[in-house]
Amino acid sequence: MSHLHKHKMSKFKVALSEESIDLKALRELCFSGIPFEGGIRALCWKILLNYLPLDQTLWDSFLKKQREVYSQFLKEMIIQPGIAKANLGLSREDVTMEDHPLNPNPDSRWNTYFKDNEVLLQIDKDVRRLYPDMAFFQRPTEYPCQLILDPQNDYETLRRRVEQTTLKAQTVNRNRSGVTNQEQNIKPQYFTFRWLTLLLSQEFLLPDVIRIWDTLFSDQDRFHFLILVCCAMLILIRDHLLAGDFTINMRLLQDYPISDVHTILTKAKELQDNS
């Protein structure tokens, strides 16, 4: 560990040890990147995203309450209609003419259940696209959700719901036909919709995405700064865009060629300072 990194770590530890967190000072620290050791990044993100209060003395009680709320959410939402819940004293509900798995009524619990499955399937696919070999995803959590991890629990697991859904991942075909118009009429929605809605998570490798998010979350106008990051990305490949035709430019924009996020963030900060 370099002397510079040790110094940065010590500054974060001092900032996070205060009984009342100085949000402005913490933002300034996080803007240049957050160390991943010791759970510092996770803690900083919780504070920057207003999940944890600035008063550190309230953290334990607040986190306990939030975990109880999440556990109750699982009990209420991740349950298949008609499944018996012995520990709740409920008996299995019979399938009736009023509400059954083929009921098209928007108010049907079965209809809602199947729609939820579609969302859960997409979440499951997105999670699988991440990097399971990274240490970030291999660390055991101090608070595992037993309702999800234990297949013998009285509540149906997320995995089972995904497996039982009628939408299977292998049947989903991604449409890669794209735009065939060869005119230089590249509209922003062709590429910026994905950039903005997914916070650039498909444009860079995960460690680089996390580094970008450190800066986005630490900026008070984080969504405005995201637009500046996108503008910086365009400026940095401006010469290539001017020289290319429609096909080449669309390929550049949908498979961004620059992987050095530090260069992009530096350019975005220049745009912010000059605006």
Side-chain angles (χ1 to χ4, degrees):
M1 186 182 295
S2 67
H3 175 73
L4 184 62
H5 187 72
K6 288 181 180 179
H7 180 64
K8 185 175 184 178
M9 286 281 293
S10 64
K11 292 176 71 174
F12 270 94
K13 289 179 180 178
V14 170
L16 294 172
S17 64
E18 300 289 338
E19 184 173 311
S20 181
I21 302 297
D22 185 341
L23 185 58
K24 182 179 179 180
L26 183 64
R27 279 177 172 157
E28 291 176 356
L29 278 176
C30 295
F31 193 87
S32 299
I34 306 172
F36 64 87
E37 297 95 340
I40 292 179
R41 172 174 278 129
L43 181 57
C44 288
W45 280 16
K46 289 176 183 178
I47 298 172
L48 294 173
L49 296 174
N50 300 320
Y51 179 78
L52 283 178
L54 297 179
D55 187 349
Q56 191 171 166
T57 61
L58 302 176
W59 287 0
D60 289 341
S61 60
F62 180 83
L63 287 173
K64 181 181 178 181
K65 179 181 178 181
Q66 290 299 93
R67 293 185 185 108
E68 291 173 352
V69 170
Y70 178 65
S71 178
Q72 184 62 33
F73 169 80
L74 291 177
K75 294 176 182 179
E76 293 176 357
M77 303 299 295
I78 316 301
I79 299 176
Q80 177 178 336
I83 296 293
K85 301 296 179 292
N87 67 333
L88 294 181
L90 302 176
S91 61
R92 182 180 177 87
E93 300 175 7
D94 294 330
V95 175
T96 65
M97 294 298 293
E98 287 76 20
D99 195 9
H100 52 82
L102 300 180
N103 187 355
N105 191 325
D107 297 328
S108 166
R109 283 185 297 170
W110 281 98
N111 196 348
T112 302
Y113 169 75
F114 290 129
K115 288 182 178 179
D116 288 346
N117 278 347
E118 297 179 17
V119 177
L120 289 171
L121 176 64
Q122 186 60 51
I123 293 173
D124 183 72
K125 289 191 294 182
D126 289 342
V127 171
R128 289 172 184 269
R129 292 190 187 108
L130 297 176
Y131 292 72
D133 294 334
M134 284 186 62
F136 178 81
F137 295 103
Q138 294 177 349
R139 295 195 202 109
T141 175
E142 199 173 340
Y143 301 95
C145 182
Q146 299 302 327
L147 288 176
I148 294 178
L149 297 179
D150 184 7
Q152 304 301 322
N153 63 58
D154 294 318
Y155 301 95
E156 191 178 24
T157 64
L158 287 172
R159 175 68 62 190
R160 254 181 97 188
R161 285 196 68 181
V162 171
E163 290 173 349
Q164 291 176 351
T165 187
T166 56
L167 288 178
K168 299 298 182 181
Q170 57 267 32
T171 65
V172 178
N173 295 320
R174 296 187 64 183
N175 183 357
R176 295 185 177 272
S177 59
V179 182
T180 58
N181 181 10
Q182 296 301 311
E183 297 178 0
Q184 281 284 32
N185 184 24
I186 301 177
K187 298 180 180 179
Q189 55 264 38
Y190 293 167
F191 57 95
T192 55
F193 180 79
R194 187 177 76 177
W195 289 7
L196 296 173
T197 57
L198 300 180
L199 300 182
L200 301 171
S201 60
Q202 289 193 353
E203 315 311 315
F204 305 98
L205 295 176
L206 185 59
D208 295 327
V209 172
I210 293 175
R211 171 61 190 90
I212 292 173
W213 288 1
D214 286 345
T215 298
L216 291 182
F217 296 160
S218 61
D219 189 80
Q220 188 169 3
D221 300 319
R222 63 178 64 99
F223 295 112
H224 177 67
F225 193 79
L226 174 60
I227 295 176
L228 294 179
V229 172
C230 294
C231 290
M233 291 169 64
L234 293 174
I235 292 172
L236 290 172
I237 60 171
R238 177 179 181 273
D239 293 339
H240 296 287
L241 293 173
L242 292 175
D245 58 17
F246 181 89
T247 303
I248 292 176
N249 288 342
M250 285 303 301
R251 189 179 299 120
L252 279 173
L253 294 169
Q254 294 180 348
D255 186 13
Y256 193 73
I258 299 177
S259 59
D260 185 359
V261 297
H262 177 73
T263 300
I264 297 171
L265 291 173
T266 300
K267 174 60 70 174
K269 187 67 172 66
E270 290 178 6
L271 294 175
Q272 183 185 54
D273 293 340
N274 295 330
S275 61

